Amino acid sequence: MGKVSNRFKKVAKVSFASLLTVSLAFPYAGIDRASAANDDNNKSVPKLDARIKQNLKINGKEYKDLNGNGQLDKYENWQLPIDERVKDLVSQMTLEEKAGMMLISSHYMNEKPEGDNLLSEADQWSETNRWAKPGDSNYKFDTPVLDASGTTKGILERNLRYFIIRQNPSADVLATWLNQIQEVAEGSRLGIPAVITSNPRNHINTNKTFGISETVGEFSVWPGELGLAATRDADLVKEFSQIAAQEWTASGIRKGYMYMADVITDPLWTRTEGTFGEHPELAADMITAVVKGFQGDKLGPNSVALTTKHFPGGGAREDGKDPHYLFGQYNPYPTEGSLLKYHIPAFKAAIEAGTTSIMPYYAYPSNEHSAPQLDGKFEEVGFAYNKAIIQDLLRDKLGFKGYVNTDTGITTSMPWGVEDLTKEQRYAKALEAGVNIFSGEADPTYLINAVKDKLVKEERLDVSVTFLLTEMMQLGLFEDPYVDPENALKVATNPKSQEKADEAHRKSIVLLRNDENLLPLNDKKIKDVKLYIEVFSKGNDEKNTKGLIETIQNYDKSITITNNLDEATHAFVWIRPSTPEASNPKLNIGAENGIEDVDRINEIQGTVPTILALNMTNPWLIDNVEGKAAAVISTFGVKAEAIVDVIRGEFNPTGKLPFTIPANQKAVDNNKGDVPGYDEDPSYVYRNKDGVAYAYDFGLSYEPNPEKVTFADITNHWAKADIELLATKGIIKGKTKDTFAPEQNITRAEFTALLARALGLTEDNKKVNFSDVNQNNRFAKEVQAAVSAGLITGYPDGTFRPNMNITREQMAALIGRAYHFVEKKEATKTADQVLAKFTDRQSISDWSKEDVALAVQLGVIQGTQANEIQPKKPATRAQTAVMLKRFLLKVNALVETK
């Protein structure tokens, strides 16, 4: 359905009822003349649109007579404070109306309408659980579940008002449909409007699973959430949110089931693609930007209210098992304090940004699989039933003032920890825990029964309905819930919005490797390039490859493309694995995730220099495809045109990895499940053939290729390559312009200054506490910076002995301390375990043993062929260059280029 017919436009623009305005000269209920007069100068007159009920005209102002009683009730009076209006409306609502409002369910458009009516009047019932399989204890429902209600019956009989739309028609058709829903709502007893909700619908996303993401294409198209995180540009993400909010509100969508504040701590988790990565600070920055962008500083007529999910974080998993399913129903926290350290900060940021509501996850917290986290043991019930999590942690400790919106189907499909309770008891328990609205069921019978059976007081429903009505009024829905379909289409197709989105696409691409500066293929290089292209993904690779070739040919005519690998000079391979299977998630690049022909990938890479693009919905295990590529980039749901811009050098890549890529299956198996990759053991991270770690925050940019620096006295030296690398990078210098003196010993001051400069440590204050270092020494700043960083302490007599040759153990100890300073990590093995292989280990001083062992574990110092570490032997300038290079590579402070 691409265009709106003239009949649809007529319905959208004109309704007979909207022309009815009744002028009243008699006293009216619900308005205090004095307060109204006082508000006249402060309260702007809102735009009103009534299409079913009449308007009231009083003292020159108009109001909607939503309950049709011919007089102005307080809740109809837009001049009154919202809390006063809400209180009045709640007092007029029946139990049935309150219960209906507290359900939010899927809703569908009639895609084959007769005439102009897009409303679907069919109920959709389920007898089995879509998240279970035959034989599971939760597969068959005790009684059928109403997943989606027909529109008219849902609003007028079941009193539903919150609807999650799943389809993605063009913006004008969407607006027309949603207007028709609002007309039904306006025609109800009290005229309470509907709140139209959606999951994200602006992102390129491979996971179109129910309840996760909707089809993209009708609004501006942006990178996936991981891609937005990879930009590291919170201002751009806020701008995205503001643009998307304009598109949504213009079409009539006013609430978003988004975004995920969860951080990735298990790389196998199948919801990874919808997160902002693994670091709490990054997730907090991104979630703040989207809340502020969609909602504004405060909720208003131009806002989209957000439901931040999934509290208290869904990333803590065991082997990636997801709690939609019976086999993944608990959250493990095996690391003491991990819940508050890693998983809560992004939710705290969302709360501070003003998120309207928060969604608890399905899972329950497992005591058996957890170290101490909060005070006392967990109540092992789903988070939506867990008072300690919702009331004590979310509301009392974090200060959340909004409402709690459950995930879909907690009373039917995923009632973890409360399986033995009746549905009425489940509703009562969730309400007691602090829930305000229930997702995934359209039948209010059981909630009504819970009140009538005295399992919960009606006053508790009043609290929830007050939250919901407040949101509706803040959004301006009581005054004008309708939208203009023509304007909706105009806003949705605004080319300036897509221009800004394209900027985000380019910024989201991460350059991981670029051997011999293969990229960019600029205008000078491209003349000699014949590019072979192939896509590997789940589905029709031939069709996908053909589509990519057409896109590239249309976008950049200067690229010569060949379908014959034998005549190609270069290749571009794009690997796009599918999201891991929830029942048995794997991270391999292989058939498990839709990549059937890995041998073909490596055949291409072995034939011509290949640019390898890896689309990352999860941190894949890439060791079987990455090594043979000449250049490697990472994408996170991106337009092909953006990749072309990066490959051609039209855009210098700036993206950074939003998560750590695991080294191998062993690293995944040993992953703690509740700790992000950046805080795992150093062996966790994947390192490419040059030893560069693909860790969180890693990403390259194109740099001019500096002229190689070399020295006459290292021509045949064993450390030549490392000396030249550091000298070319400007990290070390020769003794003279032409000589390096590789076998000359290096002093304590020289090495300390070298290490401080390499790490970017500076200290403006030259004052030092060593008796043999004064502020006029050329290395005084660096020595003081090293002291401030905890790298050096000096001798007991207060000296530093700067001109003394540094020993191998002293140098190793400084490097071990520097690793602590940069990575904030401890060694994973005891010093005795690490040093056991060295025959002269007893010569290592006690003061340095722990740091020397860490340097050995990091691979910075390796010992001799005779298994000696030679701790007291002075270090040479060549040894210094080698050890410093290994260390800088280890902490990603250096990129080794060919």
Side-chain angles (χ1 to χ4, degrees):
M1 302 183 68
K3 295 183 178 179
V4 177
S5 69
N6 290 330
R7 288 177 298 168
F8 283 169
K9 292 177 181 177
K10 185 176 180 181
V11 169
K13 287 183 175 179
V14 180
S15 174
F16 177 72
S18 68
L19 302 178
L20 295 178
T21 301
V22 179
S23 181
L24 301 181
F26 50 81
Y28 44 92
I31 183 167
D32 178 86
R33 293 179 182 274
S35 64
N38 290 335
D39 282 348
D40 278 348
N41 295 326
N42 300 320
K43 193 93 170 182
S44 60
V45 178
K47 176 178 176 288
L48 300 182
D49 193 346
R51 301 188 177 186
I52 303 299
K53 302 285 181 68
Q54 296 182 353
N55 280 354
L56 306 173
K57 192 168 184 179
I58 303 170
N59 295 338
K61 292 185 173 64
E62 288 192 17
Y63 308 86
K64 294 170 72 172
D65 188 14
L66 291 169
N67 64 5
N69 66 356
Q71 57 185 356
L72 184 62
D73 291 78
K74 285 186 177 181
Y75 84 90
E76 298 165 339
N77 182 3
W78 48 262
Q79 291 184 279
L80 292 179
I82 286 177
D83 57 349
E84 190 173 340
R85 297 177 67 190
V86 169
K87 184 178 180 180
D88 175 59
L89 181 51
V90 172
S91 71
Q92 297 191 40
M93 294 174 70
T94 65
L95 168 62
E96 289 72 19
E97 287 168 332
K98 296 171 187 176
M101 179 172 286
M102 290 172 60
L103 302 183
I104 177 170
S105 56
S106 298
H107 204 66
Y108 298 94
M109 182 180 74
N110 182 1
E111 294 183 313
K112 297 180 180 180
E114 294 182 5
D116 296 342
N117 188 1
L118 294 172
L119 300 177
S120 173
E121 301 297 1
D123 288 345
Q124 295 187 21
W125 294 85
S126 291
E127 295 185 354
T128 57
N129 181 358
R130 74 173 71 232
W131 306 107
K133 63 182 186 299
D136 287 346
S137 59
N138 64 330
Y139 176 67
K140 189 171 180 59
F141 294 129
D142 295 336
T143 57
V145 171
L146 182 59
D147 294 321
S149 173
T151 304
T152 303
K153 187 173 182 179
I155 293 174
L156 299 184
E157 296 181 26
R158 296 179 176 126
N159 299 294
L160 305 177
R161 287 300 184 278
Y162 279 79
F163 300 104
I164 311 166
I165 58 171
R166 307 290 186 184
Q167 294 144 304
N168 196 29
S170 61
D172 50 351
V173 175
L174 177 61
T176 300
W177 172 40
L178 301 187
N179 281 345
Q180 291 176 3
I181 293 174
Q182 295 292 3
E183 287 185 0
V184 178
E186 186 185 336
S188 65
R189 187 179 75 89
L190 296 172
I192 299 172
V195 178
I196 308 301
T197 307
S198 176
N199 284 286
R201 52 180 59 221
N202 286 83
H203 307 286
I204 295 178
N205 191 314
T206 64
N207 194 350
K208 298 301 183 293
T209 303
F210 179 92
I212 294 176
S213 182
E214 309 303 340
T215 303
V216 72
E218 298 301 338
F219 297 154
S220 57
V221 180
W222 297 72
E225 290 90 325
L226 287 171
L228 292 180
T231 70
R232 295 300 195 276
D233 191 339
D235 290 337
L236 178 59
V237 173
K238 183 177 180 180
E239 195 168 356
F240 145 69
S241 306
Q242 292 168 331
I243 290 170
Q246 292 170 7
E247 296 169 344
W248 286 42
T249 56
S251 297
I253 307 172
R254 304 306 305 276
K255 175 177 161 75
Y257 255 14
M258 57 197 191
Y259 277 84
M260 291 172 61
D262 316 75
V263 295
I264 309 162
T265 53
D266 184 340
L268 290 162
W269 190 34
T270 55
R271 300 293 299 270
T272 295
E273 188 176 12
T275 74
F276 292 116
E278 74 177 23
H279 203 293
E281 291 182 9
L282 176 61
D285 289 344
M286 296 294 107
I287 209 73
T288 297
V290 295
V291 172
K292 288 291 188 181
F294 272 97
Q295 294 190 173
D297 291 332
K298 64 178 183 178
L299 223 55
N302 298 315
S303 300
V304 175
L306 294 194
T307 299
T308 303
K309 51 189 187 181
H310 306 85
F311 191 78
R317 308 256 50 85
E318 183 174 71
D319 299 328
K321 297 172 184 174
D322 189 89
H324 281 84
Y325 304 93
L326 194 63
F327 49 72
Q329 59 185 277
Y330 61 83
N331 269 22
Y333 300 102
T335 307
E336 185 171 355
S338 64
L339 174 59
L340 294 180
K341 181 178 181 180
Y342 302 117
H343 299 276
I344 294 301
F347 289 98
K348 188 173 187 295
I351 292 167
E352 291 173 352
T355 187
T356 308
S357 59
I358 283 182
M359 178 184 290
Y361 211 20
Y362 296 114
Y364 68 82
S366 169
N367 290 308
E368 178 185 352
H369 298 89
S370 298
Q373 300 298 329
L374 305 174
D375 296 334
K377 288 185 173 294
F378 292 121
E379 182 186 8
E380 292 184 321
V381 293
F383 289 121
Y385 297 103
N386 201 309
K387 191 172 184 178
I389 296 297
I390 294 178
Q391 186 60 49
D392 300 347
L393 178 58
L394 178 60
R395 292 200 182 280
D396 295 346
K397 187 169 184 176
L398 299 181
F400 178 58
K401 304 299 184 185
Y403 67 88
V404 175
N405 188 138
T406 77
D407 214 332
T408 300
I410 69 150
T411 64
T412 55
S413 301
M414 284 76 75
W416 308 137
V418 296
E419 292 90 340
D420 293 338
L421 299 184
T422 65
K423 287 179 71 172
E424 288 85 355
Q425 290 170 330
R426 292 172 190 173
Y427 275 107
K429 183 170 179 59
L431 286 168
E432 287 294 329
V435 162
N436 304 111
I437 185 170
F438 295 83
S439 181
E441 192 170 1
D443 182 2
T445 301
Y446 300 98
L447 178 53
I448 294 168
N449 290 345
V451 176
K452 291 183 175 179
D453 293 345
K454 302 190 183 307
L455 296 173
V456 65
K457 294 181 179 179
E458 187 173 345
E459 288 77 10
R460 186 165 288 278
L461 274 63
D462 292 348
V463 172
S464 296
V465 172
T466 296
F467 274 121
L468 303 176
L469 291 172
T470 298
E471 176 181 71
M472 290 183 187
M473 290 190 180
Q474 288 173 332
L475 291 172
L477 290 171
F478 274 81
E479 279 61 61
D480 184 14
Y482 300 103
V483 292
D484 177 0
E486 290 184 353
N487 181 63
L489 187 61
K490 181 180 178 181
V491 173
T493 57
N494 185 345
K496 291 188 177 298
S497 298
Q498 192 55 52
E499 286 176 13
K500 182 57 68 172
D502 290 345
E503 177 187 340
H505 282 285
R506 291 187 287 269
K507 285 188 171 184
S508 74
I509 295 171
V510 180
L511 177 64
L512 296 175
R513 186 156 57 78
N514 190 23
D515 291 356
E516 299 180 1
N517 291 319
L518 172 68
L519 299 177
L521 297 179
N522 53 30
D523 290 344
K524 182 179 179 181
K525 292 180 182 178
I526 202 68
K527 293 183 295 183
D528 301 319
V529 170
K530 288 186 177 180
L531 190 66
Y532 177 83
I533 297 172
E534 194 161 347
V535 176
F536 294 85
S537 60
K538 186 175 182 178
N540 191 329
D541 287 343
E542 184 177 345
K543 179 181 177 181
N544 292 335
T545 297
K546 183 179 179 181
L548 177 61
I549 289 173
E550 290 176 355
T551 298
I552 292 175
Q553 286 177 324
N554 291 333
Y555 188 67
D556 192 333
K557 305 293 186 185
S558 63
I559 300 176
T560 301
I561 296 174
T562 177
N563 293 323
N564 186 349
L565 181 60
D566 292 334
E567 69 176 27
T569 62
H570 297 73
F572 173 65
V573 169
W574 196 359
I575 302 177
R576 303 195 308 215
S578 59
T579 301
E581 290 292 333
S583 59
N584 187 27
K586 301 290 184 183
L587 295 177
N588 310 75
I589 301 294
E592 302 94 331
N593 296 307
I595 310 302
E596 298 289 345
D597 199 349
V598 172
D599 289 341
R600 174 61 178 170
I601 295 171
N602 287 318
E603 177 189 354
I604 296 169
Q605 295 186 134
T607 304
V608 292
T610 299
I611 304 157
L612 175 66
L614 293 156
N615 193 59
M616 297 274 185
T617 65
N618 285 74
W620 303 116
L621 296 177
I622 61 176
D623 53 323
N624 63 336
V625 294
E626 190 271 344
K628 291 185 178 181
V632 183
I633 62 178
S634 179
T635 65
F636 305 92
V638 71
K639 291 175 64 177
E641 293 89 341
I643 300 177
V644 175
D645 285 340
V646 168
I647 289 174
R648 293 279 283 111
E650 297 297 324
F651 184 82
N652 192 350
T654 57
K656 304 295 181 184
L657 285 176
F659 48 51
T660 301
I661 298 177
N664 46 43
Q665 187 61 51
K666 181 180 178 181
V668 174
D669 293 341
N670 292 336
N671 169 265
K672 296 183 181 68
D674 63 337
V675 174
Y678 74 86
D679 240 1
E680 286 280 359
D681 181 272
S683 64
Y684 177 80
V685 62
Y686 174 82
R687 294 182 181 277
N688 67 20
K689 59 187 180 181
D690 300 319
V692 177
Y694 291 174
Y696 168 80
D697 209 35
F698 176 73
L700 305 176
S701 295
Y702 300 142
E703 296 179 4
N705 193 16
E707 185 177 347
K708 182 189 288 187
V709 176
T710 190
F711 304 97
D713 57 349
I714 65 169
T715 302
N716 297 312
H717 196 276
W718 62 274
K720 177 187 176 187
D722 292 344
I723 294 169
E724 287 179 340
L725 174 65
L726 296 189
T728 300
K729 296 283 188 181
I731 296 173
I732 61 175
K733 298 179 181 179
K735 290 295 288 186
T736 68
K737 179 180 178 182
D738 300 315
T739 63
F740 184 72
E743 298 307 316
Q744 188 177 103
N745 296 332
I746 189 169
T747 68
R748 287 166 51 82
E750 286 176 314
F751 181 73
T752 301
L754 191 62
L755 184 60
R757 286 197 297 268
L759 293 176
L761 301 178
T762 59
E763 184 68 53
D764 291 333
N765 181 11
K766 285 187 176 182
K767 182 180 179 181
V768 292
N769 298 321
F770 301 124
S771 60
D772 54 352
V773 177
N774 65 65
Q775 61 183 12
N776 295 319
N777 291 132
R778 59 184 174 83
F779 49 79
K781 276 189 175 183
E782 287 84 357
V783 169
Q784 181 57 33
V787 171
S788 299
L791 305 187
I792 58 175
T793 56
Y795 287 87
D797 63 0
T799 63
F800 176 61
R801 304 178 193 179
N803 297 319
M804 179 184 291
N805 292 332
I806 193 168
T807 65
R808 284 167 57 84
E809 77 168 342
Q810 290 172 339
M811 185 165 61
L814 258 68
I815 288 174
R817 292 172 185 172
Y819 184 77
H820 284 303
F821 175 77
V822 174
E823 297 289 343
K824 306 292 190 295
K825 295 180 181 178
E826 302 297 327
T828 57
K829 297 180 181 179
T830 66
D832 290 338
Q833 287 175 314
V834 174
L835 300 175
K837 64 181 178 180
F838 299 113
T839 59
D840 57 350
R841 60 185 176 278
Q842 300 300 328
S843 301
I844 301 172
S845 304
D846 289 340
W847 68 267
S848 68
K849 183 179 291 186
E850 296 292 335
D851 291 317
V852 171
L854 179 56
V856 171
Q857 188 175 344
L858 293 172
V860 173
I861 187 168
Q862 297 175 350
T864 68
Q865 291 183 345
N867 288 331
E868 292 179 337
I869 198 166
Q870 300 177 340
K872 307 303 181 186
K873 188 175 180 178
T876 66
R877 288 170 56 81
Q879 290 171 339
T880 298
V882 172
M883 290 192 214
L884 187 58
K885 174 232 175 181
R886 290 172 183 165
F887 167 69
L888 294 176
L889 284 175
K890 184 68 67 172
V891 296
N892 285 325
L894 175 69
V895 175
E896 188 172 19
T897 56
K898 298 294 184 184

